[in-house]
Amino acid sequence: MVLEILHYPDKRLRTISQEVVSFDTDLHTLLDAMLESMLESKGIGLAAIQVGVPKRILIINLPREDEQQYPQDCLEIINPVITHKEGTILWKEGCLSVPDFYEEIERSAKITLSYQDRTGTPKMLQAEGLLSVAIQHEMDHLNGILFVDKLSMLKRKKFEKEFKKTLKMP
Ligand code: QAP
Ligand code: CO
């Protein structure tokens, strides 16, 4: 099932998402629908709040070397906590909830993450590069934060200007 993706400035994107406590069929149905919705919109990462569900769930499906996305590669990350971070990295980010705007954001270069999978099993992973950036971007969504919130005042003005232009489009 394809779910509608919320767009800036929808206030629901500002919700603080709640921990997942039951790892049941409803959760699995939601995860499957999130993946389908993300792939349909050509995304590589999605948080549950972007489809209006305020739970601490995110999915990431990075393309392989052949630039294709394989659904079986999808990382399903529930109740994530960053336990270690080091260094900084600049990455030009975008967001399915902020269509057609891209800007460089500073993130931690390497992270260690604790989380649960769809069965509730505790997991750990270490990430760097695009995966590290994607996890940090999606974890911000769990706290109601968008990447455009992290822009300098000047770049934020550029965003606001472009956003107002898209509003005026016929
Ligand atoms: C978050 O972003 C992210 O504007 C995931 O027209 C961003 O999937 C992770 C998208 C940067 C790592 C690095 C955006 C698709 C997808 C658009 C996305 C658009 C179509 C964004
Ligand atoms: Co996003």
Side-chain angles (χ1 to χ4, degrees):
M1 195 182 36
V2 176
L3 308 170
E4 190 191 330
I5 295 178
L6 306 182
H7 287 162
Y8 174 91
D10 194 311
K11 285 194 69 174
R12 287 171 286 178
L13 291 168
R14 300 312 188 171
T15 313
I16 310 267
S17 293
Q18 299 296 308
E19 276 203 30
V20 172
V21 289
S22 63
F23 294 79
D24 54 9
T25 319
D26 284 356
L27 173 68
H28 302 164
T29 303
L30 172 63
L31 284 164
D32 296 344
M34 283 174 63
L35 179 59
E36 192 182 342
S37 310
M38 180 178 79
L39 294 177
E40 197 212 35
S41 301
K42 311 256 177 266
I44 58 168
L46 188 74
I49 192 59
Q50 293 180 274
V51 293
V53 179
K55 293 185 190 292
R56 302 188 83 80
I57 299 169
L58 59 94
I59 60 170
I60 293 173
N61 191 12
L62 301 184
R64 293 190 192 172
E65 288 223 16
D66 63 3
E67 289 173 19
Q68 284 259 105
Q69 279 172 294
Y70 297 85
Q72 65 266 34
D73 293 348
C74 189
L75 261 176
E76 300 175 332
I77 296 178
I78 298 161
N79 300 331
V81 178
I82 292 175
T83 58
H84 180 83
K85 50 187 183 183
E86 63 182 85
T88 60
I89 184 174
L90 270 179
W91 204 281
K92 192 155 191 170
E93 299 190 13
C95 179
L96 287 172
S97 295
V98 190
D100 303 327
F101 184 81
Y102 307 87
E103 198 51 80
E104 278 196 343
I105 302 289
E106 189 180 294
R107 303 280 186 185
S108 298
K110 294 186 181 184
I111 58 170
T112 306
L113 193 75
S114 290
Y115 66 100
Q116 288 166 286
D117 69 8
R118 65 158 68 201
T119 70
T121 306
K123 303 254 180 169
M124 280 233 286
L125 73 76
Q126 299 197 85
E128 56 184 74
L130 177 58
L131 180 58
S132 171
V133 170
I135 291 169
Q136 293 171 71
H137 174 112
E138 301 309 335
M139 282 184 73
D140 272 351
H141 280 297
L142 308 185
N143 296 321
I145 296 167
L146 299 174
F147 80 100
V148 293
D149 300 341
K150 297 184 132 59
L151 298 171
S152 68
M153 224 157 19
L154 201 72
K155 293 273 175 67
R156 179 74 190 215
K157 288 268 181 253
K158 175 176 166 266
F159 165 68
E160 296 293 346
K161 193 172 157 189
E162 287 186 25
F163 174 70
K164 281 171 185 156
K165 243 193 296 185
T166 67
L167 280 183
K168 285 177 188 146
M169 291 213 308

